[in-house]
Amino acid sequence: MKGKKYQDSAKLIEKGNLYDVSEAMDLVGKTSKAKFDETVEVHLRLGVDGRHADQQVRGAIVLPNGTGKSVRVLVFAKGEQAEAAKAAGAEYVGEMDLVEKIQKENWFDFDVVIATPDMMRFVGRLGRVLGPKGLMPSPKSGTVTPDAGKAVAEAKAGKVEYRLDKTNIIHCPIGKVSFGPQKLKENFNALVGAVIKAKPAAAKGQYIRSCTVASTMGPGIRVNPARLA
């Protein structure tokens, strides 16, 4: 049974209606009733089969208005790249010392992991623990890079990674309710634009099958997918 606040919020949404982006962002604010600043998430169901390598959809984008969340960045780098990462504001910078800390202490006080290519032979040992948490650095998401300083700056500025889950849905945050409809719309358009640009050549038929927007505690608001492509 959903709570009274949720039920009150749900009444503002017409069942079966597909909203345009502006209306949806407006409703996200109106249906957010929690006492904290809720995160707004987008859920995109794509007409692809992610089990096939040529139909994978994955990438990263810096949202124009950031995510509203401060991220703690860990960087595996040495020498000049380590100094650049520190200068860009990385919370943790190191080499084998950090690999061992994660392995021995089960330490995960960070939200993003970045590595320079020469560090991947060490970071590879952490695949089993970082992978399931979605923290493993990858060239596709720009987190394995020879320019650690730039990667840290992007992570701090509100870079989000998007990727298909096992049911061919992308779940991605686009900011906080407090951003207001206009900034959320700008972030939404940036994310959807990136996903459309990443459309695999092997994808057939309708690419964006459905799109739902919701705040952390609020009901889902369906966006008309026909107006997105």
Side-chain angles (χ1 to χ4, degrees):
M1 185 71 180
K2 300 280 187 184
K4 186 174 182 305
K5 283 182 182 175
Y6 181 95
Q7 288 174 345
D8 288 345
S9 294
K11 285 175 191 165
L12 297 171
I13 299 161
E14 286 179 49
K15 271 208 171 123
N17 195 17
L18 294 174
Y19 292 92
D20 70 25
V21 179
S22 297
E23 289 174 314
M25 296 309 143
D26 204 32
L27 276 168
V28 158
K30 289 177 179 168
T31 56
S32 169
K33 307 279 190 192
K35 287 183 176 157
F36 61 94
D37 191 8
E38 296 179 53
T39 295
V40 178
E41 276 212 351
V42 176
H43 310 278
L44 294 165
R45 182 186 292 279
L46 301 185
V48 295
D49 186 346
R51 289 172 302 180
H52 300 290
D54 62 351
Q55 294 190 44
Q56 269 295 327
V57 180
R58 182 178 181 181
I61 182 173
V62 178
L63 296 174
N65 301 301
T67 60
K69 183 185 173 209
S70 59
V71 293
R72 298 163 300 173
V73 182
L74 181 154
V75 180
F76 291 102
K78 60 185 179 185
E80 280 180 18
Q81 287 301 314
E83 292 310 313
K86 287 175 190 168
E91 277 74 10
Y92 310 103
V93 181
E95 301 173 48
M96 267 312 288
D97 53 329
L98 292 181
V99 172
E100 286 172 3
K101 187 172 171 67
I102 292 167
Q103 283 177 325
K104 291 176 183 170
E105 299 174 27
N106 204 23
W107 172 71
F108 293 104
D109 290 343
F110 45 86
D111 309 295
V112 177
V113 181
I114 291 163
T116 52
D118 59 329
M119 285 285 127
M120 284 309 290
R121 59 200 171 103
F122 304 121
V123 182
R125 301 174 194 179
L126 299 171
R128 268 197 203 149
V129 288
L130 294 182
K133 294 178 183 290
L135 290 168
M136 191 66 187
S138 131
K140 277 193 177 166
S141 62
T143 45
V144 175
T145 171
D147 192 341
K150 183 184 174 199
V152 171
E154 286 181 344
K156 294 283 184 183
K159 186 177 190 177
V160 291
E161 189 179 344
Y162 57 86
R163 61 194 296 183
L164 290 174
D165 69 6
K166 287 188 175 114
T167 58
N168 300 312
I169 298 174
I170 286 172
H171 309 274
C172 200
I174 55 162
K176 300 282 188 180
V177 167
S178 61
F179 281 21
Q182 186 54 40
K183 284 187 174 178
L184 286 171
K185 183 181 175 181
E186 288 166 9
N187 280 359
F188 175 92
N189 287 340
L191 171 68
V192 171
V195 171
I196 290 170
K197 217 180 251 181
K199 180 181 179 179
K204 298 286 180 274
Q206 188 179 347
Y207 180 49
I208 297 179
R209 295 278 171 88
S210 71
C211 173
T212 305
V213 181
S215 60
T216 310
M217 309 292 285
I221 300 154
R222 291 169 69 204
V223 177
N224 188 347
R227 294 195 187 161
L228 300 179

